[in-house]
């Protein structure tokens, strides 16, 4: 179908009522369709389901959206639609954004990003959107986001590690596959610890409450140290696909009896706190499989349950398996949480490789 669809007067002008006030002055009242259709018409439109279109939209200085009932104009400064009679408020100045000129903070109702919401969090919000979209060629996983990665690197000023950033690496590693989603691991495309290793949507539970759990403000405390990152690129593009990649980190590694962890289902903090279950935490597998025996858990970070001091923080963990590639070399199986704050307190620090 064509994209220049006829518009009705009711759609553009609304229902016009002639008014006369008590003092004799006259005017008109326009009863219009609510102007905030951007989310329904653009965000849920066909173009927004395509992975390649994400960076094309975000990196463009100006965008025209031809939708079923309205045309929208969008730039870094404002957003306009054809049926509005009075311009709406302008968006935040692009200088207020950390790395990406325009993203969905305003649309998601989160408002202008605060100083605490770093470029790192903005990047992983973008990845959440990106991985929920369709990609025809699986080999394009890195390429279709490389333009945004290059743009983000200008402000992050750190190494790009197969879809993650060396800055606040504990945040990047804490991705999960949602419980209502299905993902398939593609071993040859990315290391097990990268979100790009799976085909399917991913999310960051460490960014609950609209991204308010940041890392640089101390709300999410890292429990690991990145010693070294080794990457072999598949192309000259530093933000493109990789042949191989591994991380050398130090952290606390502990075996957990399988019966103490809920698998592929969320155990909430109140459920554990009530004492009505023997489970001490949960794990969401990257790709559902039957995990045999105890779970090998790496303490990744500590996350507060709430903003107040009354409740202790919980442990964000990675579940690993022996990669059979040398001493202390592991592959990621999933991510989860262990609620007892002191669970790793008596565990010594160790050095390991993630591949």
């Amino acid at each position: 179908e064509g994209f220049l669809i006829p518009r009705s007067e009711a759609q553009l002008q609304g229902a016009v009522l002639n008014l006369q006030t008590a003092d004799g002055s006259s005017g008109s009242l326009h009863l219009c369709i609510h102007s905030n259709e951007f989310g329904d018409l653009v965000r849920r439109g066909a173009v927004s389901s395509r992975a390649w279109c994400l960076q094309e939209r975000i990196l463009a200085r100006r965008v025209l959206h031809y939708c079923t009932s309205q045309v929208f104009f969008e730039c870094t400064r404002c957003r306009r639609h054809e049926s509005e009679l009075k311009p709406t408020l302008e968006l935040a100045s692009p200088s207020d954004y950390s790395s990406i000129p325009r993203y969905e903070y305003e649309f998601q109702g989160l408002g202008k990003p605060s100083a605490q919401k770093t470029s790192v969090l903005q990047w992983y919000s973008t990845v959440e959107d990106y991985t929920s979209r369709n990609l025809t060629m699986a080999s394009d996983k890195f390429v279709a986001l490389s333009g945004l990665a290059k743009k983000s690197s200008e402000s992050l000023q750190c190494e790009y590690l197969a879809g993650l950033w060396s800055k606040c690496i504990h945040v990047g590693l804490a991705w999960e596959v949602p419980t209502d989603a299905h993902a398939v691991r593609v071993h040859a495309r990315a290391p097990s610890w990268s979100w790009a290793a799976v085909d399917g949507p991913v999310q960051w539970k460490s960014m609950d409450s609209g991204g308010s759990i940041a890392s640089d403000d101390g709300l999410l405390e890292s429990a690991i140290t990145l010693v070294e990152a080794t990457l072999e690129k598949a192309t000259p593009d530093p933000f493109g696909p990789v042949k191989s990649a591994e991380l050398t980190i130090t952290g606390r590694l502990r075996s957990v009896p399988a019966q103490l962890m809920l698998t592929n289902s969320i155990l909430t903090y109140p459920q554990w706190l009530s004492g009505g279950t023997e489970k001490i935490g949960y794990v969401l597998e990257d790709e559902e499989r039957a995990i045999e025996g105890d779970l090998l858990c790496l303490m990744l970070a500590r996350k507060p349950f709430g903003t107040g001091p009354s409740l202790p923080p919980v442990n964000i963990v990675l579940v690993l398996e022996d990669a059979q590639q040398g001493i202390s070399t592991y592959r990621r199986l999933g991510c989860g949480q262990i609620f007892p704050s002191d669970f790793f307190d008596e565990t010594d620090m160790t050095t390991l490789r993630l591949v």
Side-chain angles (χ1 to χ4, degrees):
E1 297 179 359
F3 62 91
L4 298 176
I5 302 172
R7 309 291 195 244
S8 68
E9 281 299 313
Q11 186 177 346
L12 297 177
Q13 297 290 330
V16 183
L17 304 179
N18 294 321
L19 297 179
Q20 187 169 1
T21 64
D23 62 5
S25 59
S26 61
S28 59
L29 175 67
H30 295 252
L31 302 179
C32 300
I33 298 174
H34 195 280
S35 63
N36 189 24
E37 294 182 76
F38 189 86
D40 293 329
L41 297 177
V42 175
R43 177 67 179 167
R44 296 181 180 88
V47 172
S48 292
S49 69
R50 305 304 307 176
W52 268 104
C53 294
L54 178 62
Q55 69 176 4
E56 292 175 358
R57 174 189 164 196
I58 294 178
L59 293 178
R61 294 188 178 188
R62 305 169 190 84
V63 182
L64 280 175
H65 301 278
Y66 289 92
C67 302
T68 54
S69 61
Q70 290 213 56
V71 174
F72 291 89
F73 167 80
E74 182 185 25
C75 70
T76 58
R77 188 175 61 86
C78 66
R79 184 176 294 159
R80 298 285 181 258
H81 55 95
E82 66 174 293
S83 66
E84 67 180 346
L85 298 176
K86 182 179 180 180
T88 54
L89 294 176
E90 294 186 355
L91 304 178
S93 167
S95 62
D96 293 332
Y97 290 74
S98 33
S99 64
I100 300 174
R102 179 186 65 256
Y103 189 53
E104 300 303 324
Y105 284 100
E106 193 268 345
F107 158 70
Q108 293 174 355
L110 304 179
K112 185 179 70 173
S114 69
Q116 293 179 341
K117 294 174 183 175
T118 66
S119 301
V120 171
L121 295 180
Q122 196 172 26
W123 169 259
Y124 295 124
S125 293
T126 307
V127 173
E128 286 187 348
D129 186 346
Y130 177 72
T131 58
S132 68
R133 297 174 177 231
N134 301 320
L135 190 63
T136 302
M137 302 295 293
S139 58
D140 288 346
K141 194 77 169 184
F142 286 112
V143 183
L145 202 63
S146 60
L148 280 175
K150 180 180 180 180
K151 182 67 178 178
S152 297
S153 69
E154 296 174 4
S155 60
L156 287 169
Q157 295 294 309
C158 64
E159 190 175 3
Y160 185 64
L161 305 174
L164 280 61
W165 298 96
S166 59
K167 177 182 179 182
C168 305
I169 188 66
H170 62 291
V171 176
L173 290 170
W175 57 272
E176 298 177 355
V177 175
T179 55
D180 59 351
H182 177 72
V184 177
R185 186 175 290 281
V186 184
H187 294 281
R189 187 175 60 203
S192 68
W193 42 266
S194 170
W195 54 265
V198 298
D199 278 337
V202 302
Q203 65 182 11
W204 273 261
K205 294 292 287 183
S206 55
M207 286 161 50
D208 283 349
S209 304
S212 62
I213 304 298
S215 53
D216 289 346
D217 57 9
L219 291 178
L220 187 63
E221 179 186 355
S222 177
I224 63 170
T225 300
L226 178 61
V227 178
E228 184 182 15
T230 304
L231 282 84
E232 183 181 0
K233 304 290 185 180
T235 68
D237 183 4
F239 307 104
V242 298
K243 284 186 177 180
S244 63
E246 65 178 51
L247 303 177
T248 301
I249 62 176
T250 57
R252 290 180 168 86
L253 198 61
R254 181 175 174 182
S255 180
V256 184
Q259 67 269 20
L260 295 182
M261 296 289 283
L262 189 64
T263 304
N264 296 326
S265 183
I266 300 292
L267 177 69
T268 66
Y269 192 96
Q271 286 174 332
W272 169 76
L273 202 61
S274 68
T277 175
E278 66 169 349
K279 309 293 185 183
I280 63 171
Y282 69 89
V283 57
L284 301 180
E285 295 175 284
D286 301 339
E287 183 181 37
E288 290 191 21
R289 48 176 281 187
I291 297 181
E292 299 179 356
D294 296 342
L295 305 181
L296 189 61
C297 293
L298 171 69
M299 181 182 175
L300 186 62
R302 282 194 172 181
K303 171 186 174 182
F305 174 72
T307 55
S310 58
L311 295 174
V314 301
N315 301 302
I316 299 177
V317 299
L318 292 186
V319 178
L320 309 176
E321 68 173 351
D322 191 337
Q324 306 295 324
Q325 296 182 20
I327 300 175
S328 300
T329 303
Y330 301 96
R331 195 164 28 236
R332 172 187 159 130
L333 294 180
C335 186
Q337 295 186 12
I338 292 179
F339 295 126
S341 297
D342 59 354
F343 187 80
F344 291 92
D345 284 359
E346 297 182 3
T347 306
D348 294 332
M349 298 290 289
T350 185
T351 300
L352 61 144
R353 293 167 58 228
L354 293 181
V355 295

